[in-house]
Amino acid sequence: MKQQTVCHVNDMQPGELRETELGRISVVVCKTPDGEFYAFTNKCIHQGGPLSKGKLCGAPQSDNPGEYTFCQDGEILRCPWHGREFNVKDDGRMLANPKHKLPSFPVKIEDDYVIVYK
Amino acid sequence: MNNNNPSSKKRIIDVDIHESVTYKDLFKYLENPYRRYIEDANWIQEKHMPYTQPSVAGVNRADAVVPDGRPAGSDLPFMQEQLLDDIGHEYGILTGALDPSPSSMHGWYEMATALASAYNDWQIENWLEKDERLYGSVHINAEDRDGAIREIERVGSHPKMVQILLPIDDKMWGDPYYHPIYEAAQKHDLMIGMHHNEPPVYFGKWPRYFIEWHSLLPTSHMMQVTNMIFNGVFEKFPNLKLMMIEGGFTFVPHLMWKLDQQYNDLRHEVPWIKRKPSEIMKEHVRFCTQPSEELNKKDFLSVIDQMGSDEMICFATDYPHWDFDSPHRSLPSLDPDLKKKIFSENARAFYPKLK
Ligand code: FES
């Protein structure tokens, strides 16, 4: 089992992204506003954009044309290239097409350190 | 994104790269009073796009901002690192970032013409003469036709200027107004490049949402190609060619069928056209892969098959824009011959100044 210590839990702010290496794999670590950590492959499944250069943001939602509500602030990982939205709270599923999701990695907190492993 | 491993490199001629200038960097190339007008009033060209921008960093890839904070596309070493060296470009053709966009300034023609000259000088000195892989586009103020022709005469024979960018404006490109510009283009072996510009559509208006506008880019391409063909531009200027940038290519078979059928029915209105429009397109018009739909190999090959030619599309990244197409991931895997044509040989055959 490969593992990588990323940082102290307090080193990352809610809504922050950080890049780390797991062996030769580049991984993006996300800290959501509720203080949870998630880790995904750092290569977007579309054309390979580096997700750690994107944003952890929210997602506009609506059931009626012309109306918006803004949800899940800090829980949506948006790619820096074509802007595809992945829900980190839903296993990295893509909002526009939930059939697709980002490969994810388990995250453990040990002695207040964030560790990703595979 | 480290593709420095030579085995992962493709031979690429990228026909759409956006270099961008800060107004401050243009000053050196701009005469007064124009420079003073900008400097004293902090002028920037008014933009009309009524949308918030599409992606997490406006119209650019978020990772393309220069590390010191300058705008994406404004720094040659960073572009070399992130694009030209990383991907292993053989050549790249610069198409500007539409700001300033002298061609789409309405009125104040003398200012727009001066801006176009400054832009061209800046482009030559800072990009074309600093990286042998880079080729450029002549920016003109098409609304001042005489000024535009003077500018083409001034910089068009530069060995690294390969095309002239025209605006999408209230005159379509077949209009006789543009013909003297085409004559000057032919004289200097310059092709015409179409990159969607402001205003974005013939009608000068915008749909309600960015997603509509971006989905409809090919319609403006269809209009200009149709207009140029039926107005006989390619009969009158047999060496002139047209590169349609950033409209994709999957609409091309439809356009070929449509124009051929219309020609069969309505030839009497345009008797100067002697060949099937699809033949004219095959000879004179090239289209870019970008922005590419997600096609599997079968669908991709079927579009090529429907075009009846594998020489009509050229590869473009559109770096550093948000809808950048990765040479490694945007197209399905293709047979080596076809790949070579799309990634480099079609563009090489198209632009006479590319060796
Ligand atoms: S590479 Fe991420 S959205 Fe295209």
Side-chain angles (χ1 to χ4, degrees):
Chain A
M1 187 170 77
K2 274 205 183 93
Q3 61 175 53
Q4 173 69 43
T5 304
V6 183
C7 60
H8 191 270
V9 282
N10 293 331
D11 288 347
M12 277 177 74
Q13 295 307 308
E16 195 179 320
L17 295 170
R18 193 167 281 202
E19 183 184 346
T20 192
E21 307 294 324
L22 197 53
R24 288 170 46 208
I25 307 170
S26 176
V27 171
V28 57
V29 179
C30 315
K31 184 175 187 178
T32 50
D34 57 9
E36 297 289 325
F37 289 87
Y38 300 85
F40 301 94
T41 170
N42 195 24
K43 257 194 180 182
C44 180
I45 51 173
H46 176 220
Q47 289 190 16
L51 292 164
S52 59
K53 300 280 172 58
K55 264 203 165 77
L56 259 187
C57 53
Q61 297 291 0
S62 177
D63 292 321
N64 287 308
E67 290 176 8
Y68 298 95
T69 49
F70 194 67
C71 313
Q72 288 192 274
D73 204 0
E75 299 178 353
I76 304 295
L77 176 54
R78 233 181 140 205
C79 179
W81 288 6
H82 314 96
R84 296 192 180 192
E85 307 162 286
F86 301 95
N87 186 349
V88 304
K89 288 286 186 190
D90 187 18
D91 214 13
R93 273 174 219 289
M94 191 169 125
L95 294 194
N97 188 346
K99 279 204 311 234
H100 300 296
K101 58 177 189 162
L102 296 172
S104 59
F105 300 92
V107 183
K108 282 191 299 198
I109 308 293
E110 272 176 25
D111 297 334
D112 281 348
Y113 281 90
V114 182
I115 298 166
V116 289
Y117 62 98
K118 144 181 149 140
Chain B
M1 286 312 296
N2 189 348
N3 299 303
N4 276 330
N5 168 8
S7 63
S8 73
K9 286 185 178 172
K10 292 187 172 74
R11 209 178 166 124
I12 288 176
I13 300 180
D14 179 350
V15 301
D16 187 21
I17 299 177
H18 295 287
E19 84 288 9
S20 97
V21 71
T22 61
Y23 283 74
K24 207 166 103 279
D25 289 337
L26 269 189
F27 287 165
K28 184 177 152 198
Y29 308 94
L30 201 56
E31 300 280 317
N32 276 325
Y34 305 110
R35 174 183 164 155
R36 288 297 303 271
Y37 285 141
I38 296 178
E39 217 169 5
D40 294 355
N42 267 330
W43 179 86
I44 52 168
Q45 189 177 357
E46 190 193 345
K47 291 289 181 186
H48 302 282
M49 201 178 252
Y51 317 106
T52 61
Q53 301 299 347
S55 195
V56 301
V59 293
N60 291 312
R61 269 172 48 171
D63 61 335
V65 178
V66 183
D68 64 13
R70 278 175 298 142
S74 64
D75 183 69
L76 176 61
F78 189 59
M79 184 187 282
Q80 287 165 331
E81 177 187 325
Q82 193 167 45
L83 183 77
L84 304 173
D85 299 343
D86 186 47
I87 286 167
H89 277 51
E90 184 182 2
Y91 298 129
I93 297 173
L94 299 177
T95 49
L98 311 184
D99 183 29
S101 182
S103 267
S104 60
M105 274 177 73
H106 289 262
W108 209 5
Y109 304 132
E110 49 280 41
M111 171 71 163
T113 303
L115 269 178
S117 295
Y119 194 94
N120 291 329
D121 288 341
W122 168 83
Q123 183 191 179
I124 289 170
E125 191 175 320
N126 294 281
W127 298 86
L128 308 188
E129 292 182 349
K130 285 220 173 112
D131 189 313
E132 56 182 23
R133 294 165 291 189
L134 291 175
Y135 284 75
S137 306
V138 179
H139 292 248
I140 56 170
N141 167 24
E143 300 233 345
D144 164 18
R145 191 174 63 188
D146 292 346
I149 289 167
R150 276 198 308 277
E151 186 60 14
I152 296 166
E153 293 295 339
R154 192 179 75 87
V155 295
S157 58
H158 190 283
K160 301 191 90 190
M161 284 292 195
V162 297
Q163 67 192 353
I164 298 168
L165 292 176
L166 284 185
I168 300 168
D169 216 321
D170 53 3
K171 282 180 287 298
M172 292 228 268
W173 291 5
D175 195 289
Y177 172 86
Y178 288 110
H179 292 197
I181 290 177
Y182 299 148
E183 200 175 313
Q186 256 200 176
K187 185 170 151 197
H188 294 288
D189 267 345
L190 297 165
M191 308 295 109
I192 299 300
M194 162 151 169
H195 195 288
H196 60 81
N197 205 330
E198 294 183 76
V201 291
Y202 185 44
F203 316 102
K205 294 211 176 182
W206 298 85
R208 285 190 69 215
Y209 297 106
F210 182 89
I211 194 169
E212 297 176 71
W213 172 66
H214 202 256
S215 302
L216 291 171
L217 293 181
T219 60
S220 54
H221 289 236
M222 292 166 82
M223 284 193 264
Q224 304 297 352
V225 171
T226 302
N227 186 254
M228 283 178 89
I229 287 179
F230 287 139
N231 281 263
V233 169
F234 300 113
E235 317 299 310
K236 193 166 165 187
F237 304 102
N239 296 324
L240 190 73
K241 291 181 180 170
L242 178 64
M243 178 62 85
M244 305 301 286
I245 305 163
E246 204 167 344
F249 62 97
T250 47
F251 65 92
V252 175
H254 159 74
L255 191 62
M256 295 171 98
W257 296 325
K258 175 54 83 184
L259 299 193
D260 283 356
Q261 168 267 322
Q262 295 280 296
Y263 178 69
N264 285 342
D265 299 350
L266 298 167
R267 186 217 57 86
H268 66 105
E269 191 190 16
V270 287
W272 46 84
I273 304 299
K274 311 287 183 205
R275 299 172 285 170
K276 282 202 293 189
S278 62
E279 293 304 318
I280 299 177
M281 278 166 79
K282 278 183 199 163
E283 188 179 325
H284 292 271
V285 192
R286 296 294 175 264
F287 300 86
C288 291
T289 50
Q290 192 275 337
S292 183
E293 289 96 7
E294 289 165 279
L295 302 177
N296 61 30
K297 184 171 178 182
K298 182 166 153 271
D299 292 340
F300 188 94
L301 293 178
S302 123
V303 177
I304 302 269
D305 192 44
Q306 289 172 34
M307 283 181 199
S309 162
D310 59 5
E311 291 173 357
M312 294 179 76
I313 55 178
C314 301
F315 186 78
T317 60
D318 192 30
Y319 177 91
H321 286 170
W322 74 281
D323 49 346
F324 167 85
D325 264 340
S326 160
H328 308 288
R329 297 280 293 271
S330 56
L331 305 185
S333 86
L334 302 168
D335 300 331
D337 271 4
L338 180 58
K339 202 164 149 179
K340 207 166 149 201
K341 282 188 164 165
I342 293 173
F343 280 102
S344 58
E345 296 314 313
N346 289 347
R348 200 191 312 279
F350 179 83
Y351 288 109
K353 288 185 182 175
L354 294 186
K355 292 288 152 355

